[in-house]
Amino acid sequence: MSQSNSLESDFYTKAMTHPIIEIKHLSRIFQMGQYQVDALRDINLTIHAGEFVAIKGPSGSGKSTLMYLIGCLDTPSSGEYRLCGQEISQLDDQEISRLRNRQIGFVFQQFCLLSELDVLENTALGMTYAGTKQSWRRSQAQELANQVGLGNRIDHRPSQLSGGQQQRVAIARAMVGQPQIILADEPTGNLDTHTSDEIMERLHKLNTSGKTVILVTHDHKVAEHAERIITLVDGRVVSDKRTTRESPLHDGAGIEPETRHNMTGNLRNDDLIKMALREGLLAHKLRSMLTMLGIIFGIAAVIAMTAITEGGKQHQLKQLRQIGMNNIQVRDLDLQAASLLRQRRINPRGVTLDDMQYLRQHINGVGAVAAWKVLTAEIRYGSTVVGDVDVVGVHGEFESVANYHAVQGRFIDTIDEQRFARVCAIGPEISDELNLGVEPVGKAIIIGDQPFVVVGVMQSKLFTDSKIADISIANRNRQIFVPHRVLRFFFRKDEYASELDAISLRMQSDAELVGQSKLINHIVSQLHLGAEDFGIFVPLEKLMQAQQTKRVFNVIIVVIAGISLIVGGIGIMNIMLANVTERTREIGIRRAMGASRRHVLHQFLVESLLIALFGGFLGLLAGIGSGLLVQQIFGLRVAFGWPIMAIATLVSMAVGIAFGIYPAWLAANKNPVEALRN
Ligand code: ADP
Ligand code: MG
């Protein structure tokens, strides 16, 4: 900022004492393969503020080359060029662009308006790069449009205007920043005589108001409008004469520092985004859409697949809680026939309460222990009969181990067991099926052929009737709980049956589940004299194994999505490269109006960023949509998490930047002169 201020104040103080343009021994050589074109040779030229100068010469004599050099769009091969006392070769691109933006207004033979912008926006273009607010810009542009007689055409596009009208817009555009110098390269070359006269009239008016006007022409008649005619032939100045015309103002006159308080020189973000949207994305909608596909697929795949795996994981976790999180279970293997006999010969009672007592005493870190045995029976209450009910004989701290509690009355306790009491706690569904009414506690029901008193009703819990690993999860809502001793005494039928179905130890932490399960396995194996009639089951371990396989699956998804994103990125790069080539002229025009390399870089980078970001957003929607579809069709649970969505957004932005940076760099480094020539 301070640099720009000092630059500008320098400009005004020096302009009063120095010539506005000072060129010494300047030459410009173009290398065309083996050939060398000397477009300008040893030019020496001084122009003072307020002059009206025509640069005349035949085609190919170097007029345009000289004008581009004066306008700081090109750099000389050798020699000095001072603009307002500032040696141009000492300034960087941003300083030069700012100088061009504030002090020079260009008018070209081919008008060079931007086709996507209307009259007002074209007029105000330079002020966009000065960083002014849109409202201010528009009012300035409106005033200028009125001045050039296009006040009623402000929303027309260039294609809707005649050549003369377009050139008037170009003149208004050159005036908008109130520059000191107007550079016009064959401004009437494409116009009829009548319109030409009108344009020349406008340039005269500008000169009268104090501007330095430099007019390039090959036409002698047009040159006669100026007060001074410099003739170029073959890149050399061959004559420099004053005409009979005289400008009303001279050196320094009319130069006053204007208030330029709102010109920051930084392109505003809203302008940048608007520019990228209009000239990039929306100018070629189908193309932008197709370019986004890679990103859309990549992001959608990640979102949908993680939602499905995450949903599955949460589902399993929920099931796990039903069994008990940190539990280790010793289970009777449901052996049949010969192998059952063989094992029972070694260890007659299967998994027993003695095993449980031993484990409770010898394993560290046990929080609670319970054991159970399940049989099926028919139950009755009055005339209501319900068949095929799980009767669970429980021992120990079943409520806390299974995390399943009584909501009415109480659960079976140790005293019941000691007293051999024929009491039961019933699942809520059983209570309903037996029509026990609102107060089941205290009522007597028949289990098998024995009467039992209901002491409690269990809570209603959502049990998903399914399997985790190989252990099925029973619907406890439809179970009846009795003391284990009672079950054994009254319901014992099969002499080879195991005393218990399972012992469940709830550990205090999940830190050493695997180690302890191994120890338990070892102990029980010894207690069973080596019989292979039991299995150790660690639900959490099973879950982790299941997730391990899913992790492999996740890696595959990430790889597929990554490839898709890279392909998407390459698509963006491809389109942006085509864009840069296609829009070379636009880039040239913008540079002439004061855009710095950095401005152009930002414009194209924001374009690719927006393509990627929109792609990412659509991918997000597509991912959520397909996730929900999978849920609907296959009944799989899905869970969407914010972090993955945030990551997806960041990744698509990163892709946009990574693959947009090279095309944007190319755009920024396009030679503005070459861009304007064709
Ligand atoms: P004028 O505007 O007087 O018609 P120019 O300044 O356009 O002339 O060109 C002067 C000479 O320099 C011509 O011979 C032209 O072919 C050559 N020239 C201009 N620009 C380039 C370039 N970018 N590369 C090669 N030669 C160029
Ligand atoms: Mg030319």
Side-chain angles (χ1 to χ4, degrees):
M1 267 308 282
S2 66
Q3 205 176 7
S4 93
N5 284 342
S6 74
L7 196 68
E8 290 209 4
S9 58
D10 272 5
F11 177 88
Y12 294 109
T13 50
K14 283 181 183 158
M16 304 300 280
T17 51
H18 292 265
I20 199 162
I21 288 164
E22 244 186 319
I23 290 169
K24 281 182 189 157
H25 307 299
L26 183 136
S27 69
R28 181 66 170 104
I29 299 162
F30 293 105
Q31 200 68 44
M32 299 279 287
Q34 295 168 311
Y35 301 99
Q36 181 173 310
V37 182
D38 289 74
L40 295 172
R41 314 173 203 223
D42 194 30
I43 303 283
N44 292 285
L45 197 60
T46 304
I47 295 172
H48 292 267
E51 277 193 290
F52 190 155
V53 182
I55 296 173
K56 200 186 76 171
S59 177
S61 58
K63 306 181 297 290
S64 295
T65 305
L66 181 57
M67 199 200 72
Y68 291 133
L69 282 169
I70 292 175
C72 308
L73 281 171
D74 194 13
T75 41
S77 307
S78 65
E80 290 170 22
Y81 171 35
R82 297 169 90 80
L83 178 62
C84 320
Q86 277 278 343
E87 177 57 52
I88 293 303
S89 61
Q90 287 167 0
L91 304 179
D92 66 19
D93 175 66
Q94 266 186 295
E95 290 166 326
I96 292 176
S97 299
R98 193 164 286 172
L99 201 59
R100 188 164 54 235
N101 183 239
R102 311 272 167 95
Q103 307 302 356
I104 293 169
F106 279 100
V107 180
F108 300 97
Q109 180 175 357
Q110 295 89 351
F111 321 132
C112 291
L113 302 177
L114 293 183
S115 56
E116 299 289 320
L117 305 185
D118 66 20
V119 167
L120 223 49
E121 290 161 331
N122 263 298
T123 305
L125 186 61
M127 286 301 91
T128 315
Y129 290 105
T132 57
K133 278 204 183 109
Q134 197 188 333
S135 54
W136 185 84
R137 247 163 35 213
R138 287 187 78 86
S139 68
Q140 294 292 104
Q142 175 74 60
E143 204 173 292
L144 287 169
N146 292 342
Q147 276 182 37
V148 298
L150 289 170
N152 54 348
R153 291 269 202 294
I154 52 167
D155 50 2
H156 283 48
R157 295 282 180 93
S159 58
Q160 299 167 312
L161 299 173
S162 72
Q165 287 172 325
Q166 288 190 51
Q167 198 60 308
R168 280 189 271 158
V169 175
I171 288 181
R173 180 179 66 179
M175 288 160 69
V176 76
Q178 301 184 324
Q180 295 307 321
I181 304 166
I182 302 286
L183 296 179
D185 189 354
E186 309 269 13
T188 58
N190 281 6
L191 302 173
D192 59 70
T193 331
H194 174 74
T195 322
S196 296
D197 289 345
E198 190 201 310
I199 296 296
M200 288 315 297
E201 193 53 41
R202 294 202 179 277
L203 290 177
H204 264 292
K205 268 195 198 154
L206 283 172
N207 180 236
T208 312
S209 73
K211 311 275 182 217
T212 309
V213 177
I214 300 174
L215 168 71
V216 165
T217 181
H218 67 276
D219 186 339
H220 186 73
K221 268 200 207 133
V222 174
E224 284 298 325
H225 283 269
E227 53 168 352
R228 177 182 170 192
I229 301 177
I230 295 165
T231 310
L232 283 186
V233 173
D234 274 348
R236 283 185 215 276
V237 177
V238 294
S239 86
D240 187 346
K241 286 186 194 138
R242 300 213 159 258
T243 63
T244 47
R245 279 187 186 255
E246 225 171 83
S247 270
L249 296 159
H250 281 287
D251 283 19
I255 297 181
E256 283 160 39
E258 289 122 14
T259 45
R260 295 179 169 209
H261 56 276
N262 55 2
M263 299 189 190
T264 61
N266 296 317
L267 195 53
R268 292 166 59 88
N269 286 338
D270 54 343
D271 283 328
L272 191 60
I273 290 168
K274 208 165 123 189
M275 213 184 261
L277 270 179
R278 275 229 323 233
E279 266 118 300
L281 263 71
L282 300 177
H284 308 279
K285 292 187 194 72
L286 181 65
R287 201 157 93 172
S288 308
M289 194 63 204
L290 291 174
T291 309
M292 287 174 198
L293 280 180
I295 305 248
I296 294 177
F297 279 131
I299 298 292
V302 173
I303 296 293
M305 296 320 287
T306 49
I308 291 165
T309 46
E310 187 59 28
K313 186 169 149 189
Q314 287 183 10
H315 179 59
Q316 277 198 324
L317 262 174
K318 210 161 121 194
Q319 286 180 311
L320 192 62
R321 283 206 193 89
Q322 293 173 6
I323 305 177
M325 255 317 199
N326 297 345
N327 289 10
I328 299 174
Q329 294 188 351
V330 181
R331 287 189 168 254
D332 164 54
L333 292 184
D334 202 8
L335 299 171
Q336 305 295 328
S339 59
L340 178 69
L341 283 175
R342 210 179 311 127
Q343 300 307 334
R344 288 293 183 268
R345 239 171 257 143
I346 304 168
N347 175 46
R349 286 159 61 208
V351 180
T352 63
L353 287 174
D354 295 340
D355 294 342
M356 175 181 152
Q357 293 307 340
Y358 194 88
L359 288 173
R360 192 207 290 275
Q361 279 157 23
H362 291 85
I363 299 291
N364 291 328
V366 176
V369 186
W372 62 85
K373 169 85 188 166
V374 184
L375 293 174
T376 44
E378 191 181 82
I379 54 173
R380 271 185 295 143
Y381 176 68
S383 59
T384 315
V385 181
V386 179
D388 232 8
V389 174
D390 279 355
V391 182
V392 186
V394 294
H395 180 82
E397 300 135 290
F398 182 86
E399 264 187 301
S400 86
V401 169
N403 189 24
Y404 189 52
H405 302 274
V407 284
Q408 276 181 52
R410 62 174 179 85
F411 194 67
I412 311 299
D413 59 23
T414 35
I415 300 163
D416 294 329
E417 195 144 13
Q418 282 161 14
R419 287 223 230 105
F420 212 71
R422 269 178 279 176
V423 291
C424 65
I426 58 175
E429 285 177 22
I430 294 295
S431 173
D432 290 344
E433 283 174 53
L434 285 179
N435 295 321
L436 289 177
V438 287
E439 197 50 74
V441 175
K443 291 182 175 159
I445 61 171
I446 310 292
I447 303 176
D449 52 6
Q450 299 293 322
F452 280 73
V453 175
V454 176
V455 292
V457 180
M458 304 307 287
Q459 69 189 125
S460 178
K461 231 181 179 182
L462 193 70
F463 288 100
T464 41
D465 217 6
S466 58
K467 279 183 139 190
I468 176 164
D470 4 324
I471 302 295
S472 60
I473 294 162
N475 177 6
R476 293 207 189 284
N477 296 336
R478 211 171 169 282
Q479 287 183 330
I480 291 184
F481 303 91
V482 300
H484 181 256
R485 275 180 76 194
V486 176
L487 184 86
R488 258 174 85 197
F489 188 82
F490 289 107
F491 298 89
R492 183 168 178 158
K493 290 190 175 97
D494 181 356
E495 63 171 315
Y496 293 115
S498 172
E499 192 174 304
L500 292 172
D501 282 350
I503 301 167
S504 189
L505 298 99
R506 202 192 66 214
M507 308 308 289
Q508 277 157 355
S509 91
D510 59 9
E512 292 196 56
L513 288 180
V514 176
Q516 276 169 317
S517 69
K518 279 185 185 144
L519 181 61
I520 291 168
N521 191 19
H522 182 71
I523 291 172
V524 177
S525 200
Q526 297 220 315
L527 291 172
H528 288 204
L529 309 169
E532 289 164 5
D533 58 352
F534 72 98
I536 305 288
F537 174 62
V538 186
L540 194 63
E541 185 62 16
K542 291 275 181 196
L543 184 77
M544 307 241 263
Q545 280 166 9
Q547 273 167 23
Q548 199 66 43
T549 48
K550 275 191 186 139
R551 213 159 288 155
V552 176
F553 181 66
N554 277 345
V555 168
I556 294 168
I557 296 297
V558 166
V559 168
I560 290 171
I563 291 170
S564 175
L565 284 175
I566 289 172
V567 171
I570 293 169
I572 290 180
M573 187 150 155
N574 198 11
I575 281 301
M576 290 311 293
L577 285 174
N579 254 340
V580 172
T581 311
E582 234 172 58
R583 287 157 62 188
T584 300
R585 189 178 158 80
E586 178 199 326
I587 297 167
I589 295 169
R590 289 183 182 279
R591 293 296 304 277
M593 294 307 129
S596 64
R597 284 205 185 95
R598 192 192 292 192
H599 287 143
V600 175
L601 182 93
H602 285 178
Q603 179 185 350
F604 282 85
L605 202 53
V606 169
E607 266 181 40
S608 54
L609 182 65
L610 284 182
I611 290 177
L613 210 56
F614 271 112
F617 179 69
L618 291 179
L620 219 71
L621 291 185
I624 293 173
S626 33
L628 293 176
L629 210 64
V630 164
Q631 188 169 25
Q632 278 292 318
I633 296 174
F634 301 104
L636 287 177
R637 265 152 243 261
V638 295
F640 300 101
W642 286 115
I644 189 77
M645 297 199 184
I647 290 170
T649 310
L650 288 178
V651 164
S652 50
M653 282 173 77
V655 167
I657 291 173
F659 288 91
I661 194 99
Y662 177 62
W665 181 85
L666 279 185
N669 286 289
K670 278 259 171 210
N671 181 348
V673 173
E674 268 168 42
L676 286 167
R677 271 188 183 277
N678 36 53

